[in-house]
Amino acid sequence: MQSPGRKEAKGVQVEVRLDSAVSVPKVIILTDQMTEEVNAIVQMLSDSEPKLIAGFRDDTVTVLDEKDILRIYAANGKVFAVLPSGEYMLRLRLYEVEERLKQHHFIHISNSEIINLKKVRNFDLSFTGTVCVVLTDGSKTYASRRYVTRLKGVLGI
């Protein structure tokens, strides 16, 4: 048996052991209690099927790559995804999209909008009570007061 080493991130220890006698990977979680973090890890490891997001535009359906999505917003009872290639209508509710993207770098900035943190150029904190978000395509959107504290916590500010 060979042990390439240990890694520790955010209080979680990860250890990988290589064993030629093992043909199927096995994950064991050792913990003193079930926490939300442990449940999230179990859920992430249990998701065997990738959850795709289909975008509709005109009479075509496009499988959207989550790394290309700038933002997702709800308006007039519909949900839209904005990508550099354009805007697509989704046949999912906002909370369903959030659930599919929770392992990626997406965060709610208002009741009706989720942004991709990897597609943010900068945050303008000069607005009173809200935060102006400038995306990589130059478009602007705003984080509502209710979500500013959570956003600042994620950003570490």
Side-chain angles (χ1 to χ4, degrees):
M1 186 177 343
Q2 189 180 14
S3 180
R6 294 177 186 231
K7 208 170 200 180
E8 191 166 327
K10 294 186 182 180
V12 176
Q13 294 180 11
V14 177
E15 183 176 338
V16 177
R17 293 183 187 171
L18 302 177
D19 187 339
S20 59
V22 176
S23 60
V24 177
K26 178 180 181 181
V27 177
I28 298 172
I29 299 173
L30 300 173
T31 183
D32 62 341
Q33 62 183 354
M34 285 301 288
T35 63
E36 284 185 33
E37 183 180 32
V38 172
N39 283 330
I41 292 169
V42 170
Q43 182 66 37
M44 184 179 67
L45 293 170
S46 300
D47 287 341
S48 57
E49 280 185 40
K51 294 180 180 173
L52 302 175
I53 296 177
F56 297 82
R57 186 164 59 181
D58 301 324
D59 291 330
T60 61
V61 178
T62 304
V63 176
L64 305 179
D65 189 343
E66 54 270 349
K67 74 178 187 312
D68 295 330
I69 298 172
L70 297 164
R71 66 189 190 100
I72 298 162
Y73 70 95
N76 301 321
K78 295 181 181 176
V79 176
F80 300 92
V82 178
L83 286 80
S85 60
E87 199 167 288
Y88 297 84
M89 188 180 79
L90 307 180
R91 291 192 178 159
L92 297 167
R93 297 194 184 279
L94 199 59
Y95 75 88
E96 293 171 322
V97 176
E98 181 182 27
E99 188 65 30
R100 290 181 184 212
L101 297 174
K102 73 179 181 182
Q103 299 303 323
H104 305 280
H105 300 6
F106 288 82
I107 186 170
H108 256 285
I109 61 165
S110 71
N111 279 340
S112 61
E113 188 167 6
I114 300 169
I115 60 167
N116 182 348
L117 288 171
K118 294 281 190 178
K119 296 292 182 178
V120 173
R121 183 179 296 158
N122 61 43
F123 296 94
D124 185 348
L125 305 175
S126 65
F127 293 86
T128 306
T130 63
V131 174
C132 177
V133 182
V134 181
L135 300 170
T136 55
D137 69 342
S139 64
K140 293 180 181 179
T141 188
Y142 297 88
S144 70
R145 291 172 209 224
R146 181 176 168 195
Y147 291 87
V148 167
T149 303
R150 182 169 176 226
L151 179 61
K152 285 182 176 181
V154 169
L155 297 174
I157 55 175

